[in-house]
């Protein structure tokens, strides 16, 4: 049975990552921090849209922000990404076990 608390914690993460622009922003921030204006220059969406995407990513813990003078710089949160990766790996391990059991059952002599 899945860990309901951990699974519920991941719902906003997967909802956030379902948007292609947010996924690409997260990938970009994984390389180095950037401001919303800097990201807007790299993407084909407005600065306001970038700010909204960053707010969604920050609410679910995938991105953090830090003020540097007049600029706010955003960074990917590696520990949160690692937790998401572990959750996905756990699902994969469960499926691997099930498929292995099915294979063994199918290979048993009648």
């Amino acid at each position: 049975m899945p860990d309901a608390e951990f699974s519920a914690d991941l719902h906003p993460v997967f909802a956030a990552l379902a948007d292609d622009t947010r996924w690409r922003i997260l990938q970009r921030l994984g390389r180095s921090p950037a401001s919303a204006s800097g990201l807007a220059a790299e993407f084909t969406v407005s600065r306001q849209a970038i700010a909204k995407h960053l707010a969604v990513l920050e609410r679910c813990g995938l991105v953090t922000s830090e003020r540097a003078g007049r600029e706010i710089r955003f960074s990917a949160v590696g520990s949160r990404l690692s937790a998401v990766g572990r959750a996905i790996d756990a699902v994969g391990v469960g499926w691997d076990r099930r498929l292995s059991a099915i294979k063994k059952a199918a290979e048993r002599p009648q």
Side-chain angles (χ1 to χ4, degrees):
M1 174 180 260
D3 181 347
E5 181 181 339
F6 192 59
S7 296
D9 183 46
L10 291 177
H11 290 161
V13 171
F14 290 118
L17 296 178
D19 182 274
D20 184 58
T21 300
R22 283 193 288 268
W23 173 246
R24 290 184 299 122
I25 288 170
L26 187 61
Q27 288 178 311
R28 166 56 187 80
L29 292 175
R31 291 191 302 271
S32 65
S35 67
S37 297
L39 290 169
E42 297 178 39
F43 289 85
T44 58
V45 295
S46 69
R47 191 210 173 285
Q48 292 81 10
I50 292 290
K52 288 179 183 182
H53 287 304
L54 288 167
V56 170
L57 292 168
E58 193 166 23
R59 270 194 309 273
C60 66
L62 292 170
V63 167
T64 189
S65 62
E66 184 177 325
R67 184 169 287 282
R70 292 177 40 193
E71 186 175 69
I72 299 174
R73 305 218 18 107
F74 295 87
S75 301
V77 178
S79 61
R80 181 70 163 152
L81 293 168
S82 294
V84 172
R86 285 191 303 274
I88 292 170
D89 286 344
V91 171
V93 167
W95 274 105
D96 287 346
R97 277 194 227 121
R98 287 184 201 90
L99 292 173
S100 179
I102 291 169
K103 181 181 177 195
K104 285 180 185 175
E107 291 173 344
R108 270 191 226 126
Q110 295 294 329

